[in-house]
Amino acid sequence: EASGPAAIAIEAGTVLAAGHTILQDIDLDIRPGEHVAVVGPSGAGKSSLLSVLLGWHRLASGSLRVDGAELAGTELEALRRATAWVDPAVQLWNRPLLDNLDFCAEVPSYAAMGPAIQAAELGGVLRKLPEGLQTCLGEGGARLSGGEGQRVRLGRAFLQQGVRLALLDEPFRGLDRDRRRALLAEARRWWQGATLLCV
């Protein structure tokens, strides 16, 4: 199984959804370990581009290669396991904060828990929860504000092991500009050995 940051190449990529073209003529060449911002107006297809890398959309035409190989089958499954994904749509469970944080970790690492909580700026959230890490978050993270939920999603992604690709889709929605800037810098430090795309 491949290790190290992923190399991504899309050539003349087109994506269709329900018979409509949502991405067209996409040419992309991202070197291993590059950190790339994906910017554009609402509806431009930024999230759709990430969904191609997650395997939810397939190219109707063109090619998608990761580390020089077509992304399909076992290669797609391996990349998914090595991808940290932060998005407001990522589910928070009505389980303790601890379970929500280590959900993606193959082997929970309690040594990594403290640094991940600090990096995701979850200290204040942890202090206000009556049972700390054992506090259930409510369905969909109902006990948390939108920004707090996003920081839990980020902390979960920080605790994922073997990350080769980090996909951040509006990862800091609901947070003020200074906090967004600080968390993006922290995410780039955390995943300095991975390829990163941030919408």
Side-chain angles (χ1 to χ4, degrees):
E1 199 162 286
S3 61
I8 299 166
I10 299 178
E11 293 180 16
T14 298
V15 177
L16 304 177
H20 297 280
T21 302
I22 56 174
L23 290 172
Q24 189 169 11
D25 301 325
I26 300 296
D27 288 298
L28 191 64
D29 190 3
I30 300 175
R31 295 187 305 275
E34 257 192 305
H35 289 186
V36 177
V38 182
V39 296
S42 179
K46 304 180 298 295
S47 296
S48 297
L49 175 63
L50 297 195
S51 73
V52 170
L53 298 176
L54 289 163
W56 298 337
H57 286 306
R58 301 293 171 93
L59 296 184
S61 62
S63 69
L64 166 57
R65 296 181 179 276
V66 174
D67 304 322
E70 284 284 340
L71 187 63
T74 56
E75 289 82 7
L76 174 59
E77 287 304 316
L79 183 65
R80 275 187 180 156
R81 285 193 301 276
T83 298
W85 176 51
V86 181
D87 182 297
V90 170
Q91 181 68 34
L92 296 179
W93 310 104
N94 186 19
R95 303 274 304 145
L97 173 60
L98 178 65
D99 293 354
N100 274 280
L101 287 171
D102 67 18
F103 181 76
C104 290
E106 287 181 33
V107 180
S109 167
Y110 298 106
M113 186 68 66
I117 286 171
Q118 184 174 353
E121 296 187 8
L122 284 168
V125 175
L126 190 55
R127 283 189 292 276
K128 80 172 198 177
L129 294 174
E131 296 170 66
L133 284 169
Q134 295 303 325
T135 306
C136 288
L137 298 184
E139 199 57 51
R143 291 188 77 137
L144 306 174
S145 72
E148 290 169 345
Q150 282 299 87
R151 298 202 309 275
V152 171
R153 292 174 179 96
L154 184 63
R156 177 189 290 175
F158 283 161
L159 284 165
Q160 188 172 337
Q161 295 133 358
V163 173
R164 306 183 59 227
L165 176 64
L167 301 178
L168 312 181
D169 195 347
E170 296 192 41
F172 313 123
R173 184 188 291 175
L175 300 173
D176 63 66
R177 180 172 295 187
D178 288 344
R179 181 163 267 173
R180 288 180 191 205
R181 188 177 291 121
L183 283 170
L184 179 58
E186 189 61 54
R188 293 191 67 192
R189 276 193 296 275
W190 195 276
W191 287 306
Q192 60 188 342
T195 302
L196 183 147
L197 278 72
C198 182
V199 169

